[in-house]
Amino acid sequence: MNDTIAAICSAGGPIGLIRVSGERAIEAVCAVFRAKNGKSMSEAPTQKLVYGTLHDAMGRMIDCCYAVVLRAPHTYTGEPMAELQCHGSTAVLTQGLEALFSQGVRQAEAGEFTRRAFLNGKMGLSEAEAVHDLITARTAEAARNAAAQVMGAVGSPVQQMRDELIGMVAHFHAVVDFPDEDIDPVLFDDAAALLHRTTSRLYAMAESYERGRILREGVPCVILGRPNAGKSTLLNTLLGRERAIVTNIPGTTRDLIEENVKVGQLLLRVTDTAGLRDTNDPVEQAGIDRAMAEASACSLILAVFDGSQPLNEDDMLVLARSAGHRAVAIINKDDLPRVLDEKLLKKHFLHIVPISAKTGEGMDRLLTLLPRLIGLEDGALDGALITNARQAAALARAAERCEAALYAATSGMTPDAVVMDAEGAIAALGEITGETVTEAVVTRIFSDFCVGK
Ligand code: GDP
């Protein structure tokens, strides 16, 4: 029998939630909560809010609040649960929690409610991981993708593929166990069709991780350009507010300035950098070195050029740094007469966008282009994007083993060879649903959660 746990589940709002789960959850809440209608909470209907008062171990009133009992198995954890909806001050909530502790309840560990939900079969491991994504989502789109995954957008197709492979392996086992009988060639044909379909699906899912990670974490993006090209002005225009210091003194931005900018479904983690140029100032040079290092690690470079000036040697540093990267050339100061000759830029960049960071002209084109460039243009996010590195790795492994089984099935190898690789794929898929995952992995996954979830 599991012990009973409790935690404060809300942060800083006017209403605070204390959640209790375990065999003694309802009993403990009965002991600390007195319903205004005079009835015991043990008789309260499940999932119905009851108004009353919360009391400490000495019987003193802590709060007037709501309580609700949730009877197993129809609860989040699958265990008996109860919740107290209190006033949100830390003083009230910690006293409420302590009142429960005096009833033999203990503090829940990070992710322990969801871990219990997983262990009690209320959700698969990929659904539990999506709960964490949902709590930490930084954009509405990332939240939507995660919510769909909580509802099984990853777990269900993976479970289905796993079940189909298990069915196929069972057929092969029957053949392997009776080696004297002729093997029906249809068995190999059916297996090949299934393995072909499954391999493609698995690779597609594994490959969606690149976009999924961007959806969850944002895309690291660097603004590069010579001093005074308008990098800080561009960052401010992207942000819609003054953040970087804008001056006409070259070399003002010496360190890196990092900001999150939402562009459609895309979260850009933009770093403004020191202007690239030859300098004798060691502090400025240090800033330029950091800008260079940042650029080599980022996924997108916004290379800013001053359209009102001819290209100069400092711009060549920007061209060199952008080479081999996903990059956009931005010709800034388009409100001024154009002096810059685009020919050289066209040789280096696939995408060139004239803008005026100062007036906002051309920004629409830039903002439409960026999500397209990253592969996250507006579209339905139905949970299909894999956002989790562990799941992506398991999917890739499953795809490889499926492909190997397909090769075995189509190249006249023995049934054992097909079975061995298919079982490898089944095990890898089980790591996603949680069926074949180790205790250590489960512990690591839930330790990333916050307390109270
Ligand atoms: P950085 O050194 O590249 O960060 O450049 P800043 O953003 O500090 O801008 C340098 C100067 O160029 C400032 O005086 C800005 O007001 C000016 N500037 C930036 N963008 C534009 C623009 O689109 N049009 C015009 N006319 N001036 C701009």
Side-chain angles (χ1 to χ4, degrees), residues 228-233 246-248 332-333 335-336 356-358:
N228 258 345
K231 299 179 296 300
S232 304
T233 310
V246 179
T247 71
N248 53 9
N332 190 30
K333 308 197 187 180
D335 53 306
L336 301 177
S356 166
K358 200 169 188 174

Side-chain angles (χ1 to χ4, degrees), residues 416-439:
D416 308 50
V418 180
V419 166
M420 199 179 71
D421 280 313
E423 282 180 341
I426 291 166
L429 293 178
E431 289 173 34
I432 297 169
T433 57
E435 263 126 326
T436 54
V437 84
T438 64
E439 176 80 19

Side-chain angles (χ1 to χ4, degrees), residues 18 24 66 79 103 130 136 146 166 168 180 209-210 220-221 247 252 269 315 356 383 391-392 398 407 427 429 436 448:
I18 300 174
R24 296 197 54 251
Y66 284 101
E79 302 171 338
Q103 299 302 316
T136 54
I166 289 172
M168 184 201 85
D180 295 336
Y209 174 58
E210 199 193 330
C221 162
T247 71
T252 314
R269 296 200 332 256
D315 290 314
S356 166
Q391 291 172 15
Y407 177 73
L429 293 178
T436 54
D448 283 347

Side-chain angles (χ1 to χ4, degrees), residues 136-409:
T136 54
R138 292 202 269 180
T139 63
E141 289 78 16
R144 209 170 300 141
N145 193 62
Q149 292 187 357
V150 171
M151 299 308 288
V154 171
S156 301
V158 166
Q159 189 67 56
Q160 185 212 343
M161 285 186 273
R162 189 167 185 268
D163 289 345
E164 285 173 350
L165 289 175
I166 289 172
M168 184 201 85
V169 166
H171 263 84
F172 271 85
H173 269 305
V175 173
V176 174
D177 292 346
F178 298 99
D180 295 336
E181 311 229 340
D182 280 342
I183 299 171
D184 184 353
V186 175
L187 182 63
F188 277 104
D189 290 350
D190 287 352
L194 172 70
L195 289 166
H196 189 269
R197 207 169 54 235
T198 311
T199 303
S200 313
R201 267 180 96 181
L202 289 173
Y203 273 126
M205 284 178 87
E207 280 157 17
S208 77
Y209 174 58
E210 199 193 330
R211 291 190 301 139
R213 193 168 58 91
I214 284 170
L215 178 71
R216 199 179 71 161
E217 296 171 7
V219 53
C221 162
V222 160
I223 305 180
L224 283 188
R226 76 185 201 210
N228 258 345
K231 299 179 296 300
S232 304
T233 310
L234 173 62
L235 177 62
N236 287 336
T237 307
L238 283 169
L239 288 171
R241 65 191 156 95
E242 294 276 311
R243 167 65 173 84
I245 311 158
V246 179
T247 71
N248 53 9
I249 309 161
T252 314
T253 306
R254 301 208 162 185
D255 209 344
L256 306 179
I257 294 179
E258 233 190 282
E259 286 285 355
N260 290 336
V261 180
K262 182 90 195 314
V263 182
Q265 297 194 345
L266 183 66
L267 184 74
L268 288 180
R269 296 200 332 256
V270 186
T271 308
D272 185 14
T273 58
L276 301 190
R277 64 167 177 170
D278 265 339
T279 176
N280 294 323
D281 178 345
V283 180
E284 191 183 353
Q285 187 57 48
I288 291 171
D289 291 346
R290 287 194 66 183
M292 291 296 212
E294 193 73 16
S296 53
C298 76
S299 304
L300 175 68
I301 292 178
L302 303 181
V304 184
F305 300 91
D306 184 340
S308 69
Q309 306 272 334
L311 289 172
N312 69 12
E313 280 178 10
D314 297 335
D315 290 314
M316 297 307 135
L317 290 174
V318 179
L319 289 185
R321 203 63 203 136
S322 307
H325 273 81
R326 195 188 274 137
V328 183
I330 295 171
I331 302 179
N332 190 30
K333 308 197 187 180
D334 213 35
D335 53 306
L336 301 177
R338 176 78 67 87
V339 175
L340 179 144
D341 181 0
E342 267 185 54
K343 268 199 240 81
L344 185 62
L345 291 188
K346 280 188 176 145
K347 285 192 185 148
H348 284 80
F349 294 92
L350 222 55
H351 305 279
I352 299 177
V353 186
I355 65 160
S356 166
K358 200 169 188 174
T359 66
E361 205 183 297
M363 287 300 286
D364 282 355
R365 266 191 65 205
L366 180 65
L367 296 184
T368 321
L369 172 69
L370 294 181
R372 208 153 37 84
L373 213 63
I374 301 293
L376 258 191
E377 55 269 67
D378 284 352
L381 286 170
D382 51 5
L385 289 188
I386 299 296
T387 53
N388 179 296
R390 189 191 74 84
Q391 291 172 15
L395 284 165
R397 236 178 307 121
E400 280 162 22
R401 297 302 295 271
C402 241
E403 198 174 17
L406 174 62
Y407 177 73

